[in-house]
Amino acid sequence: MARAAGPERRLLAIYTGGTIGMRSERGVLVPGKGLAAVLRTLPMFHDEGHAQACGLPEDTLVLPPASPTCPDQRVMYTVLECQPLFDSSDMTITEWVQIAQTIERHYGQYHGFVVIHGTDTMAFAASVLSFMLENLQKTVILTGAQVPIHALWNDGRENLLGALLLAGQYVIPEVCLFFQNQLFRGNRVTKVDTRRFAAFCSPNLPPLATVGADVTINWELVRKVRGQGRLVVHSSMERDVGLLRLYPGIPATLVRVFLQPPLKGVVMETFGSGNGPTKPDLLQELRVAAERGLVIVNCTHCLQGAVTSDYGAGTALAGAGTISGSDMTSEAALAKLSYVLGLPGLSLDGRKELLARDLRGEMTLPAVDELRPSLRGSTLGRGVAQLLSLSQEAEDVRDALAPSLACAAAHAGDLEALQALAELGSDLSLEDFGGQTPLHSAARGGQAGVVTMLLQRGLDVNARDKDGLSPLLLAVRGRHQGVIGLLRAAGACLSPQELEDSGTELCRLASRADCEGLRAWWQAGADLRQPGYDGRSALHVAEAAGNLEVVALLQSLQGGVGDQALGPYLGLHSSRDLPLSGSAAWCLT
Ligand SMILES: NC(=O)C[C@H](N)C(=O)O
């Protein structure tokens, strides 16, 4: 981890609105367009002479040299202005998904990203983005202002300039928030002041960096990039989550109403170190909801400190089925709940385990051994749990073992172990010693849930192992119809060689009256008329054997070739095409 190398750093600044660019209309502040044009007129934000000398494109701004000794090291940036712009009070997961997808779309083109956002919900935005962006290897910094940048006395200029300089000069692979000379981990902050320039604090984690006469980065706090995994954007965040703040004497009936479906998860803000009223009727409401499958995370409403089990009034809540949120902010807990409940295919216990784990540096944890009790139930689980507990220095061992463990977990259909490996930073597209990816293993094992998860993560659907076998062929051999359908819908197809070789295999299946096998080949896109080694087709073989059931099957299937399997699975092509909610009206120009 060090200063970014190279003379020129390119950043994308995504302007979503907020006070920083606001203008006064009829006495109130409303979002203002044209931030890039304003920045172009401010010498601290744009060196026009350098831009002209280099022939920079119209939309590219360039900062003056940060250090007089390195005049060639320049931070260049492009401002993407959202339409419409928002007071951040109107931002929702929909807009944050769009920000994450914008980062994903431009990930290869830029060295880092700055998100210009209103301060009112910036802590929520930073928390949500930190969970949506998995395997982040570049700096993402949210910033904004308490006073518009056009005002004479404002904090917007310093905040934005600081964010651009930090994102341009350092690789801090996290979602951060920069405000008043401090760079915080985004999912650790909360807004604490409506007016002061020091609007945010990070009560349970010191700043990642502070800017004064010098820039001081606390590298020991900055999260390390693990493995070479590509960026994964989790867009399927659960929206039916809520926040309930307990207060003395809160009626059980009110809690009952709040916890009703469609709510799937709730962050409950409790007193002190995670305590709440011990009234039986209130505990009963919590218990009933938890038994129904509602996930309840216990976070303290204190600014600093963690949920503990020091008091009976706290353990009573745990006994009613709530999960400790440790020292998470409510913003981080709500975002994490939305992320974990939105992950496809996990069991309720698996989700609870993920919630108890530190996924993005959002919480301070007890010792690792206490975290994943259920993983210790199987040999595979023990292996994953041991990997999780390896120290930083043992990363090489972890990276070497992870692909084989991922394949084993995929074959066994262990989504929780796979998710744990992914959260650890393992690249799930890496091959094991036989050249198989977890997708091969899941296909061979007929694990439709795992196949769905891996396809969503963009694994190569037509990858070949060392023997040239594809996941589709392995699924066909195992006659796993659900998996064949998923793979076909994601674009898997048999190779010309496999199609040619299928003739002999089809004849063999016909001679054994293996209807299931024939159906699997048909579903994978094979032409059932393909002749075998002696020129005869499967139908000839079945007729010669007098097997009327096979003859009838082949005749009925033989009509169409190609898209047989797609019917129920149409629409799932890759992570990009998964159903996302989002307003089409909000776009980045
Ligand atoms: N300072 C700000 O940015 C507050 C503004 N209401 C917003 O969150 O958009």
Side-chain angles (χ1 to χ4, degrees), residues 260-560:
Q260 289 311 302
L263 200 68
K264 300 201 177 60
V266 65
V267 174
M268 195 168 69
E269 284 190 5
T270 55
F271 313 129
S273 45
N275 306 320
T278 55
K279 285 194 311 161
D281 59 346
L282 187 116
L283 293 175
Q284 175 65 5
E285 291 305 340
L286 295 176
R287 197 173 299 113
V288 166
E291 280 166 8
R292 213 176 44 228
L294 185 83
V295 180
I296 309 173
V297 180
N298 179 354
C299 285
T300 170
H301 73 207
C302 292
L303 198 53
Q304 205 152 21
V307 169
T308 68
S309 50
D310 292 344
Y311 292 89
T315 51
L317 291 184
T322 66
I323 303 166
S324 167
S326 185
D327 63 350
M328 269 190 291
T329 61
S330 298
E331 292 91 330
L334 196 64
K336 186 175 183 178
L337 202 50
S338 182
Y339 163 66
V340 169
L341 294 183
L343 288 171
L346 295 184
S347 65
L348 186 59
D349 282 346
R351 294 182 201 283
K352 288 182 179 171
E353 274 189 9
L354 276 185
L355 283 165
R357 286 197 54 214
D358 175 28
L359 303 180
R360 304 278 191 275
E362 74 282 359
M363 70 202 274
T364 315
L365 274 188
V368 173
D369 294 7
E370 295 165 33
L371 295 176
R372 297 186 65 87
S374 76
L375 277 184
R376 280 183 247 125
S378 66
T379 312
L380 175 62
R382 277 197 297 279
V384 173
Q386 268 161 19
L387 275 190
L388 290 171
S389 64
L390 286 181
S391 64
Q392 204 80 53
E393 299 78 60
E395 263 180 37
D396 289 351
V397 180
R398 179 164 36 210
D399 291 347
L401 292 179
S404 297
L405 269 170
C407 285
H411 188 261
D414 192 337
L415 270 172
E416 267 102 62
L418 268 180
Q419 194 64 44
L421 283 165
E423 289 295 349
L424 193 69
S426 303
D427 183 350
L428 296 185
S429 63
L430 289 181
E431 298 163 0
D432 71 358
F433 54 88
Q436 294 208 338
T437 64
L439 190 59
H440 284 95
S441 307
R444 190 155 46 88
Q447 303 294 354
V450 174
V451 168
T452 305
M453 177 228 191
L454 295 172
L455 291 175
Q456 283 171 344
R457 299 178 74 89
L459 261 73
D460 181 3
V461 76
N462 284 315
R464 306 275 153 177
D465 68 9
K466 292 218 168 94
D467 298 323
L469 302 178
S470 64
L472 182 60
L473 197 73
L474 294 173
V476 169
R477 286 187 180 170
R479 298 155 167 73
H480 302 305
Q481 295 189 13
V483 171
I484 298 170
L486 288 166
L487 293 170
R488 292 277 288 137
C493 40
L494 296 168
S495 69
Q497 187 60 49
E498 285 164 348
L499 286 169
E500 201 183 314
D501 295 347
S502 67
T504 301
E505 178 62 10
L506 291 168
C507 291
R508 196 180 66 82
L509 294 168
S511 73
R512 295 180 175 191
D514 187 340
C515 291
E516 217 191 342
L518 288 168
R519 207 182 281 278
W521 277 97
W522 169 79
Q523 210 189 347
D527 182 352
L528 299 181
R529 291 163 298 201
Q530 179 73 29
Y533 68 92
D534 60 357
R536 293 191 310 158
S537 71
L539 187 58
H540 293 138
V541 172
E543 280 170 348
N547 192 324
L548 297 182
E549 191 195 350
V550 177
V551 170
L553 175 75
L554 288 168
Q555 281 172 340
S556 74
L557 296 181
Q558 232 157 246

Side-chain angles (χ1 to χ4, degrees), residues 18-19 22 86-89 118-121 145-146 191:
T19 296
M22 283 193 181
F86 281 99
D87 182 306
S88 75
S89 312
T119 59
D120 288 346
T121 62
Q146 294 280 63
K191 185 172 177 183

